[in-house]
Amino acid sequence: MSVDQVAVLGVGMHPWGKWGRNFVEYGVAAAQDALADAGIDWRDVGFVAGADTMRNGYPGYVAGATFAQALGWTGIPVTSAYGACASGAMALDAARQRILSGMCDVALVVGADTTPKGFLKPNKGERGDDPDWLRFRLLGMTNPAYFAMWARRRIDLFGATSDDFAQVKIKNARHGLNNPYARYRKEVTAEDIAKSPTVSSPLRLLDICATSDGGAAVVLTSMEYARKHLSTSAGSADPLVKVAAISTVTPTFPNTILEMPNFATDSAAGIAKPDRGFKQAIGDSAYAQAGLGPDDVDVAEVYDLSTALELDWYEDLGFCGVGEAEKILRDGVTTLGGRLPVNLSGGLACFGEAVPAQALAQVCELTWQLRGTAQGAQAENAKVGITANQGLFGHGSSVILTR
Amino acid sequence: MAKAKLPAVEGWFTMSPSETTPRPQGADPVALIGTRCAESGTYFFPPERVMSRAPGFAGSELVEVELSTRGRLWSYTDAQYQPPEPFEAPTDPYEPFCLAAVELETEQLVVLGQVVAGVGIDDLVVGMEMELVLGTLYEDEDTEYTMWKWRPVAPATPGGEA
C-alpha cells in the first residue's frame, strides 16, 4: 500500500531552550523561517495545522488558529491536533491529507511549547477519573519511572549496562555540539553521567531528557506545485525532499507493554497478543506506506526520552535484531560516519522535550540531512530518513522522508 | 480515636476478606478488583464497567472478579525525587520508595504498584514472586487513605531469580 507523496518545501525552527516566553512567539518564528525556506508568502498558504500544547491555556488547545491569527488571518481552514508527543505527526498528516485530496496545494504545520521546570505533571484540579492524574496521585509514577521500567527490562533481558546507556548520551551530545537549534551543546563524559544523581533506577539525571521551550514548522505542498515553484524561484529546497510516509497508528488489543499513563497492560488471556508490538507497528506502518524497509534507511531521528529508549527504537524500527541494539551502538553503526547514524540533531539529549514541536523538529532535521545542509553533524549522501516517536495514551508517530 | 480508613480510590481494590477467592494463610485481606469479559475471557484492570474493550466483544457481559494477589516481578524502579502534585508525600521529609510492575499469570497482565516501605532497589530482582498487601498512601487529620502495595514474598537471591 504505497501512498502518494507530498513535498517538504520548507522547514524552520526556533532554538530550543528555557526562554520562558509565550509559545506563540516560537511557533511564529519557526513558521516564518519555514515559509522563507520554501520561498512562499503566507498569503499563498491554503491550510494551517497546529500541534497543541496542554500547558499554555486555551491558545494552546487551539494552536492552529492561534498561529493563524498571529501570522495574520487570511480566511484559510484550520485544524489543531493533539496526540501528546505525537501531535506534530498528526498535524502533519492532516496537512498531507488536505493536499492529497486536492483541497489545497500549500499547507503550513506548526508546533511550539513553553514548559515549566521539573517533571511534566497533570494540570491542576481533582480528576479522579483521569488516569494521568491518578497515576501521580495513587502511585507517584512520573514519566521517568516508566522510562526506568523499560530500561530495567533491557538490563534483565539483554544484559544491557548503565555504561551502554551512557554511550547513547555521549554519542548524542557529540552529534548536537554544533547544532544551533539545540539547547545543550556540550560534550558529556561517562563520568559526568555516573556522577549525576539517580532519578529512577537505573536511570540517572543525564539519562533522561529535560523539558524545553521550542518551536518547529514545516511547509508541505503537492508534488506538482513544488516542481512548478522550484522551476520559477530560487528556493533552497534542492534537492527536493518528499514525505513518503506518516504513521499515526494506535495499539492493537491486547497491548501487553506497559504504556504511560496506564496502571496495567491489557490482558493476553482470552485474546492472543498481536505478533508485532505497538512500537514495532509504528515503524511497520510507515515502511508499508513508503514501500521501503529498514535496509533502505540512511539516517534516523528517534525519540530518546531516555538513553535506554533510543536502544529500544533501533530494534523496533528493524535496524537490528531484538537484543542487538547495544552491539550496533558499540560498533558505531548509529554514530556519525556509521552505516545508519541516529539522532544527528543531538536528539532529545541535546534538545529537551518541547512536546508539540518535537515530531516536527525531527522532520526539520531529516530534511536538512537529506538536502545535505545540516548546520551541525551531517550524514553523507543520505537519501532516506525515518523518524520515530510515541505519545502517551497510545499515539504512534513515524515519518519517512526521501529525496 | 482511631482514624477512619478509606480506600484512596473507589472500586479498584477490596479491603474485605474474600468469600470467593481464598487467600494464603496470614495474607492481607486485599485484592485488586477487575472485570472479565465473559465471552472472550480477557481481563481488565482498572475494572471496565461500561463495555468490553476486546474488539468484537462489545455485547459481552463484564463480570467483576478479584485478581490474583501474587505474581512475578516484570520490572521495577524507584522515585528518588518527590513526584509532583497530585502526589501526596506520606512523610516529611520525603523518603524515596520503589515501584513494581508485577505480571499476573492467570490474568496475563502486568499491574503497577508502590512497593512497601523498607524494601530498597537492591532487594528487588526481575522474576521474583511478589504479593499484594494493604498499605497507606497518605493520611490527613481524620483519615488514613489505603492503597494496594507490592511486597516480595521472600528475600531476593543475589545474582539470580528468586
Side-chain angles (χ1 to χ4, degrees):
Chain A
M1 174 206 58
S2 207
V3 175
D4 286 345
Q5 299 186 336
V6 296
V8 182
L9 211 52
V11 293
M13 284 169 67
H14 182 285
W16 264 229
K18 214 68 174 176
W19 312 114
R21 301 198 299 270
N22 189 332
F23 77 99
V24 182
E25 195 181 313
Y26 315 139
V28 165
Q32 286 184 306
D33 278 3
L35 289 166
D37 184 42
I40 285 178
D41 189 290
W42 159 242
R43 289 165 295 183
D44 293 328
V45 173
F47 179 69
V48 63
D52 288 349
T53 163
M54 294 293 119
R55 289 175 199 84
N56 291 279
Y58 218 132
Y61 306 143
V62 292
T66 298
F67 296 130
Q69 185 183 29
L71 289 161
W73 293 124
T74 58
I76 57 172
V78 65
T79 198
S80 299
Y82 194 69
C85 301
S87 302
M90 289 175 76
L92 200 71
D93 198 27
R96 178 179 69 160
Q97 288 172 43
R98 279 268 166 176
I99 293 166
L100 290 182
S101 66
M103 293 178 78
C104 75
D105 284 319
V106 183
L108 174 68
V109 187
V110 191
D113 207 359
T114 301
T115 58
K117 201 175 178 314
F119 289 113
L120 291 181
K121 61 183 178 190
N123 291 334
K124 292 223 182 278
E126 291 273 327
R127 288 194 312 283
D129 53 5
D130 169 357
D132 192 52
W133 188 89
L134 285 167
R135 61 143 165 160
F136 284 93
R137 167 58 69 94
L138 299 179
L139 300 173
M141 263 313 273
T142 60
N143 292 2
Y146 285 89
F147 310 157
M149 293 258 183
W150 303 327
R152 174 68 60 188
R153 293 292 293 173
R154 289 205 73 80
I155 292 174
D156 183 65
L157 289 176
F158 311 129
T161 64
S162 291
D163 191 58
D164 291 325
F165 301 157
Q167 293 305 320
V168 174
K169 176 74 173 188
I170 292 166
K171 168 184 76 74
N172 288 347
R174 272 192 201 134
H175 283 170
L177 271 182
N178 297 309
N179 185 343
Y181 299 104
R183 174 177 170 193
Y184 302 103
R185 279 170 276 170
K186 195 168 156 265
E187 289 246 23
V188 175
T189 66
E191 197 185 359
D192 294 334
I193 298 160
K195 271 190 190 159
S196 71
T198 297
V199 175
S200 279
S201 170
L203 298 178
R204 296 180 176 276
L205 191 62
L206 290 183
D207 284 304
I208 296 165
C209 83
T211 59
S212 294
D213 298 0
V218 176
V219 175
L220 294 185
T221 72
S222 66
M223 290 303 297
E224 194 188 344
Y225 182 96
R227 288 196 193 100
K228 216 177 281 175
H229 181 75
L230 290 175
S231 69
T232 58
S233 75
S236 58
D238 181 27
L240 181 62
V241 172
K242 292 155 277 188
V243 175
I246 303 173
S247 161
T248 56
V249 295
T250 52
T252 296
F253 187 90
N255 181 12
T256 56
I257 297 295
L258 192 63
E259 306 275 4
M260 293 191 289
N262 298 342
F263 280 74
T265 64
D266 290 338
S267 155
I271 294 177
K273 63 180 178 182
D275 294 337
R276 303 278 284 166
F278 177 41
K279 285 181 70 208
Q280 297 162 334
I282 295 170
D284 289 351
S285 165
Y287 289 131
Q289 279 180 37
L292 296 169
D295 291 344
D296 300 308
V297 175
D298 300 311
V299 60
E301 288 284 312
V302 307
Y303 223 54
D304 56 322
L305 289 165
S306 83
T307 49
L309 194 65
E310 176 168 319
L311 299 169
D312 287 348
W313 283 119
Y314 294 179
E315 296 165 9
D316 293 326
L317 292 174
F319 299 164
C320 63
V322 172
E324 293 171 0
E326 286 76 10
K327 180 169 186 331
I328 69 165
L329 170 75
R330 295 270 185 186
D331 289 348
V333 171
T334 58
T335 305
L336 180 65
R339 179 176 54 80
L340 203 173
V342 176
N343 285 338
L344 288 174
S345 66
L348 293 174
C350 293
F351 275 74
E353 190 185 20
V355 174
Q358 219 64 49
L360 297 173
Q362 291 181 320
V363 170
C364 293
E365 176 65 25
L366 286 190
T367 299
W368 290 320
Q369 291 296 335
L370 267 52
R371 288 178 183 169
T373 58
Q375 294 180 69
Q378 170 67 57
E380 208 175 312
N381 195 28
K383 295 192 174 73
V384 175
I386 188 169
T387 75
N389 161 359
Q390 184 187 348
L392 81 173
F393 282 99
H395 292 96
S397 155
S398 177
V399 177
I400 295 178
L401 300 183
T402 59
R403 69 165 164 90
Chain B
M1 200 177 78
K3 287 188 184 182
K5 279 194 184 192
L6 282 179
V9 59
E10 202 65 50
W12 287 20
F13 65 96
T14 172
M15 303 192 293
S16 313
S18 172
E19 289 166 16
T20 54
T21 317
R23 308 229 173 81
Q25 192 79 33
D28 275 8
V30 57
L32 298 174
I33 297 171
T35 47
R36 191 171 56 82
C37 170
E39 287 176 30
S40 73
T42 195
Y43 291 83
F44 301 106
F45 181 81
E48 286 298 337
R49 307 280 184 190
V50 179
M51 65 169 270
S52 173
R53 288 194 287 107
F57 292 90
S60 173
E61 190 191 351
L62 290 169
V63 183
E64 189 170 299
V65 290
E66 292 185 5
L67 304 187
S68 305
T69 56
R70 285 191 174 193
R72 298 269 165 197
L73 190 57
W74 180 83
S75 192
Y76 60 95
T77 184
D78 56 3
Q80 287 292 329
Y81 291 85
Q82 180 170 330
E85 286 172 25
F87 178 78
E88 299 265 1
T91 57
D92 184 15
Y94 170 74
E95 286 171 28
F97 59 92
C98 291
L99 289 149
V102 175
E103 189 162 25
L104 308 182
E105 192 181 346
T106 302
E107 296 82 0
Q108 292 186 50
L109 56 75
V110 171
V111 188
L112 289 171
Q114 291 183 4
V115 179
V116 294
V119 175
I121 203 84
D122 295 333
D123 301 321
L124 299 171
V125 178
V126 169
M128 73 193 302
E129 191 174 22
M130 304 289 284
E131 65 181 346
L132 204 71
V133 297
L134 191 63
T136 304
L137 188 64
Y138 65 98
E139 298 176 52
D140 59 24
E141 274 182 23
D142 333 295
T143 310
E144 176 189 337
Y145 295 91
T146 60
M147 183 64 190
W148 79 82
K149 299 206 178 185
W150 291 110
R151 178 173 71 192
V153 172
T157 316
E161 294 198 343

